Structure formats: C-alpha cells, structure tokens
C-alpha cells in the first residue's frame, strides 16, 4: 500500500436486532473519519435506513455500491449481502437475524482473505441465534481462526490502560480446569509477547500471569494448578526470553492496582479477565484477535438487545476498535 492510499476498513454488521447498526451509524456521523480511511459495511442498505429513521439520525453519508471497484471515499460504503425484505424488530434476535449476521461475516471475511479490505471490524453477534451447522463456533475468534488460518490465536482485550489475554474463552466454568495446561499457557504467553512487540510497538513487554484458584491456590491449600501447571509454564516462558511473572491472586492484583506496572495480563478464564478489564477500560476497550496474519478487532460489548433501537447505545468502543485496528496495521508494516 502506498503512503497516500487510504486503508479499506471492512465492517460486518453483526446481529441486526442488536445495537450493531446503531453504533455503526453513530460512529459515521463524524464525516472526518472518511479522511482517514474508506469504510465498507457488509450488510444491506435497508437495515441502515430503518435504524436511521428509528434513531432520527440525519447527519450521515452512506451509499450502496455493487462491488469493491466502485467505492466512494467520502461516505460509508454498503455492499449488499442479501436482497430479501427482512422484518427488523430491535431487541428480538431470531434464526433469521442470525442467518443474516453470518452472511455479513462470511462476505467480510472473504474480502479480508482476498485482500479487498485491509482490516476487519466485527459488530457483535448473538451466539445463540447464529449457531448452526454453518456456524458451529463459540464466537468470532474460532470462526476466523478456522477461515483465515493460524495454529493458535488469542482473544486479546486491549485499551490504553490495560491489556488482558485469555487462556480459555467461551467454555463452561466447570470445564475450565481441564483446559489449563502448561502447553496452553505457554502458547498464549508467546502470542501476547509477540503481539505486544509487533502489534503495539512495546519493547521487552512485561506480562503478569494470574492464578486459577482463589488466592492463587494458597500454596496448594485451595488447589494445585498454580504449583503444578502455571508456575512451571511461567518458568519455561522466562527461559525462552519472555518477561512473565506470577501467578498472582486475581482479586488483589486488580484491587491494588498491580496491573499498572505490566504491559499485559494473562487470565485463566473469561470472567476472571473480562470483568476487571471492562471495569477499568471504561468504554474504551476492544477485542483483538492476535496471532493471525490479518487484523480483526471488535468492540468489547455484546448485542445489548435490551437497549437496541432506543438510541441509548454508546459507539465509543466501536470507534476505538477502528482506531486500534489501524494502529496495529501500521505497526505491523514496520515488521513487513
């Protein structure tokens, strides 16, 4: 890409019964964004027309285009992924909205794979209605890993003040311990370390590792995973040149502000990492899939059906996802 050429930022619309369309519309009411990049939304223009009317949003430029060769560089481009008439009921996702979310995601993913777009931003999906034979995945991350390649990927929650990676993602709490292995922890530490260096430009990053059990096991009184699995994985990572430390008790680690002296944290499971992350990122957090050759980022929130169509959704995280993705793309160019 030449220095004067604008990045093409692809966007999947997510579930149209959720807040995805709203945060997209609100983001692109700021027409200054078109000077920075060319946005391409994979959806249907009638969806935006519906929400534009419902939300009474007037100041936005968007246009339907037939293909990637006819993009407008001064408005939000829409590639129509379906032509059928669809009844939209905000807050009420169903099998049809799940099907359309998948059509959008498939089209955007193919565009990313082919190089037609440079970056992918994914608006939130409703996992219960998109799940099907065509989408037997627990979320965006494993889907994209399957479609775009990558032996190992990392769900990496990032913001300016805190970055959290996960060993396990969307699995039942009762099954977490079976996935906590030295190999899994070491792979995630390697991904975090590499991402911090290449994607975020951090030299010699410091990574904190949390324990699995309360009080990080209390020296084996509450559990043995810290002694038998986590600490040895940290030791191996350190021998491989990764500045990893821990395991730390999760509650005190965040309560006492210890996270502030580290560049990233590796949490053992979803809520252990995401509850403090979302509390501390204060609406500016994003979900980045590290470990792939392509750049995909999403806002750190879900479909939020309870407020869909009520003009209450905050676009801050979606907008931040775009800026985060652009920064990562440009940082990677230095290592090309």
């Amino acid at each position: 890409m030449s220095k004067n050429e604008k990045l093409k930022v692809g966007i999947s619309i997510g579930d149209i019964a959720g807040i995805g369309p709203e945060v997209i519309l609100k983001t692109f009411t700021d027409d200054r964004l078109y000077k920075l990049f060319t946005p391409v939304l994979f959806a249907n223009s009638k969806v935006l027309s519906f929400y534009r009317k419902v939300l009474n949003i007037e100041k936005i430029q968007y246009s339907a285009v037939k293909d990637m060769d006819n993009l407008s560089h001064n408005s939000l481009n829409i590639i129509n992924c379906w032509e059928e008439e669809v009844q939209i009921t905000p807050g009420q996702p169903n099998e049809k909205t799940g099907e359309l979310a998948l059509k959008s995601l498939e089209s955007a993913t193919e565009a990313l794979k082919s190089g037609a777009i440079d970056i992918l931003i994914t608006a939130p999906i409703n996992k219960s209605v998109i799940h099907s034979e065509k989408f037997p995945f627990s979320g965006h991350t494993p889907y994209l890993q399957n479609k775009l390649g990558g032996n190992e990927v990392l769900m990496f929650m990032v913001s300016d003040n805190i970055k959290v990676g996960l060993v396990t993602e969307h699995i039942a709490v009762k099954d977490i311990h079976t996935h906590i292995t030295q190999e899994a922890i070491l792979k995630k530490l390697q991904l975090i370390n590499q991402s911090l260096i290449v994607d975020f430009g951090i030299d010699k990053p410091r990574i904190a590792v949390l324990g699995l059990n309360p009080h990080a096991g209390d020296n084996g009184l509450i559990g043995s995973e810290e002694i038998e699995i986590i600490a040895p994985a940290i030791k191996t990572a350190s021998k491989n040149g990764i500045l990893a430390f821990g395991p730390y008790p999760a509650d005190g680690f965040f309560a006492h502000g210890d996270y502030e002296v580290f560049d990233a944290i590796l949490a053992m499971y979803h809520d252990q990492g995401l509850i403090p992350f979302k509390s501390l990122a204060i609406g500016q957090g994003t979900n980045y899939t590290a470990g792939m050759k392509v750049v995909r980022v999403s806002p750190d929130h879900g479909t939020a059906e309870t407020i869909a169509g009520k003009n209450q959704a905050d676009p801050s995280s979606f907008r931040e996802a775009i800026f985060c993705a652009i920064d990562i793309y440009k940082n990677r160019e230095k290592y090309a």
Side-chain angles (χ1 to χ4, degrees):
M1 173 179 292
S2 66
K3 291 183 179 180
N4 296 325
E5 187 178 353
K6 288 194 294 184
L7 287 172
K8 296 182 182 70
V9 176
I11 303 166
S12 61
I13 198 167
D15 197 296
I16 61 173
I19 63 171
E22 181 176 338
V23 296
I24 292 168
L25 280 168
K26 287 180 174 179
T27 295
F28 289 103
T29 56
D30 186 350
D31 56 16
R32 295 175 298 178
L33 295 177
Y34 305 127
K35 297 178 182 179
L36 304 176
F37 59 89
T38 299
V40 184
L41 175 64
F42 296 85
N44 184 283
S45 56
K46 292 179 181 178
V47 175
L48 287 200
S49 297
F50 171 85
Y51 276 102
R52 182 179 182 181
K53 183 177 181 180
V54 168
L55 302 170
N56 194 29
I57 294 176
E58 296 181 0
K59 185 191 173 186
I60 183 170
Q61 303 173 54
Y62 64 85
S63 55
V65 294
K66 291 183 178 180
D67 52 53
M68 296 296 295
D69 294 326
N70 295 284
L71 298 180
S72 165
H73 297 287
N74 298 302
S75 66
L76 172 61
N77 297 275
I78 304 174
I79 300 285
N80 286 326
C81 301
W82 65 86
E83 298 293 341
E84 61 196 286
E85 292 287 341
V86 178
Q87 182 177 354
I88 303 172
T89 308
Q92 297 182 33
N94 53 51
E95 185 178 331
K96 189 62 181 180
T97 65
E99 177 188 323
L100 298 179
L102 181 55
K103 284 186 176 182
S104 171
L105 181 59
E106 287 176 332
S107 297
T109 302
E110 283 304 311
L112 184 65
K113 189 175 182 178
S114 69
I117 57 176
D118 302 300
I119 286 166
L120 174 60
I121 308 298
T122 54
I125 55 175
N126 182 301
K127 297 178 182 66
S128 64
V129 299
I130 197 175
H131 197 270
S132 64
E133 289 184 3
K134 292 183 177 180
F135 192 90
F137 305 99
S138 60
H140 280 115
T141 302
Y143 170 84
L144 292 168
Q145 180 182 12
N146 177 266
K147 295 295 182 181
L148 300 173
N151 294 327
E152 189 77 26
V153 296
L154 172 75
M155 183 175 176
F156 204 11
M157 309 301 293
V158 302
S159 70
D160 287 341
N161 65 328
I162 184 172
K163 294 176 175 61
V164 178
L166 304 178
V167 177
T168 64
E169 299 170 10
H170 300 113
I171 63 173
V173 172
K174 65 182 178 61
D175 298 326
I176 290 172
H177 72 98
T178 64
H179 294 266
I180 303 300
T181 65
Q182 289 189 41
E183 182 182 16
I185 294 169
L186 187 58
K187 284 181 178 179
K188 299 301 184 181
L189 282 172
Q190 290 168 339
L191 284 170
I192 290 179
N193 190 66
Q194 180 72 4
S195 181
L196 290 171
I197 294 169
V198 176
D199 299 331
F200 297 95
I202 300 173
D203 187 36
K204 296 182 180 179
R206 292 166 50 86
I207 305 167
V209 182
L210 302 181
L212 173 66
N213 300 295
H215 302 243
D218 253 349
N219 293 317
L221 292 176
I222 305 176
S224 60
E225 286 85 357
E226 286 76 14
I227 295 172
E228 297 175 358
I229 299 172
I230 302 175
I234 294 171
K235 186 176 181 179
T236 300
S238 298
K239 288 181 179 179
N240 293 338
I242 297 173
L243 301 178
F245 305 88
Y248 297 101
D251 55 352
F253 182 83
F254 291 107
H256 301 147
D258 295 339
Y259 67 92
E260 295 178 346
V261 301
F262 292 95
D263 297 298
I265 302 107
L266 180 62
M268 294 297 112
Y269 58 94
H270 185 280
D271 284 12
Q272 184 189 55
L274 266 66
I275 290 174
F277 174 82
K278 291 185 177 184
S279 300
L280 295 165
I282 316 175
Q284 301 297 315
T286 62
N287 177 357
Y288 168 50
T289 304
M292 295 195 300
K293 293 181 180 179
V294 294
V295 179
R296 172 262 172 169
V297 184
S298 74
D300 71 351
H301 57 71
T303 47
E305 283 95 0
T306 56
I307 62 170
K310 298 180 181 179
N311 206 12
Q312 296 176 11
D314 183 351
S316 299
S317 181
F318 186 86
R319 185 170 55 246
E320 190 64 30
I322 296 173
F323 293 143
C324 175
I326 291 173
D327 286 343
I328 290 171
Y329 187 93
K330 292 182 176 178
N331 282 334
R332 284 187 173 191
E333 286 185 322
K334 301 173 185 176
Y335 287 86

